[in-house]
Amino acid sequence: QAMNDFTHFDEEGRAHMVNVGSKSVTQRSATARCTVPLNAQTFKTVHQGRVQKGDVFAVAQIAGIMAAKRTFALIPLCHPVAITGTDLSFSLDAEHNRIEIEATVSANGLTGVEMEALTAVSAAALTIYDMCKALQKDMTIENICLLRKTGGKNGVYQRAE
């Protein structure tokens, strides 16, 4: 594939931030998800709110929101986006001893918020890992993915499950 086919590279092959100035402002949203599988004892401790470092979900919620707001500072070539809302939810799956994290980010802007939603769930998952690492060292963060997005010239995307 020719270098000029990639939007984040100029004609000379140098990385650059795409100029979105000619795009229309539209209402945009994106929802991402990931899972954090735990062993039975760690899951029970989190579920009962007995993690020594404190309220796992309250801290992960704030981490996810902060990460969405600062995505442009973490991911090269991302534009700063004036986010109008960020919502994170946590679901406890007792059958599989895992935490499912979902984040929805919205904005009225020139560019989408997919990276902000993906960064939000990632930071929330990393925060859960940090708060639980004294209980379990072999945790993983799995299946980080975009579930859906709206707005922009490409319209709606919905992940097939």
Side-chain angles (χ1 to χ4, degrees):
Q1 194 168 27
M3 189 60 74
N4 58 4
D5 290 342
F6 295 105
T7 60
H8 285 80
F9 291 92
D10 66 15
E11 304 80 35
E12 296 157 5
R14 294 182 314 208
H16 71 106
M17 183 182 270
V18 174
N19 185 340
V20 296
S22 63
K23 288 184 169 185
S24 299
V25 172
T26 62
Q27 187 173 20
R28 298 165 182 269
S29 70
T31 301
R33 178 179 62 208
C34 75
T35 59
V36 181
L38 303 170
N39 65 36
Q41 184 57 47
T42 303
F43 183 86
K44 180 179 176 184
T45 304
V46 170
H47 185 262
Q48 293 174 344
R50 295 187 297 113
V51 174
Q52 193 170 21
K53 284 189 169 186
D55 185 337
V56 170
F57 299 114
V59 177
Q61 179 95 19
I62 297 299
I65 293 168
M66 290 175 62
K69 292 167 55 175
R70 301 288 297 164
T71 298
F72 73 95
L74 298 170
I75 308 297
L77 310 179
C78 278
H79 292 82
V81 177
I83 293 171
T84 56
T86 302
D87 184 43
L88 274 84
S89 63
F90 303 89
S91 300
L92 295 169
D93 178 352
E95 183 179 344
H96 299 101
N97 292 325
R98 68 182 180 202
I99 301 168
E100 295 182 357
I101 306 166
E102 197 167 292
T104 299
V105 178
S106 56
N108 295 317
L110 301 171
T111 189
V113 288
E114 297 93 336
M115 293 308 302
E116 286 73 10
L118 290 161
T119 302
V121 296
S122 300
L126 287 167
T127 300
I128 291 169
Y129 186 101
D130 179 53
M131 295 193 71
C132 296
K133 68 185 179 213
L135 300 170
Q136 181 181 346
K137 300 275 191 259
D138 65 348
M139 287 176 284
T140 59
I141 297 169
E142 299 179 354
N143 304 316
I144 299 170
C145 66
L146 180 68
L147 295 177
R148 65 189 153 276
K149 76 109 189 151
T150 64
K153 72 177 184 180
N154 294 320
V156 175
Y157 163 79
Q158 179 72 43
R159 181 180 186 83
E161 289 296 327

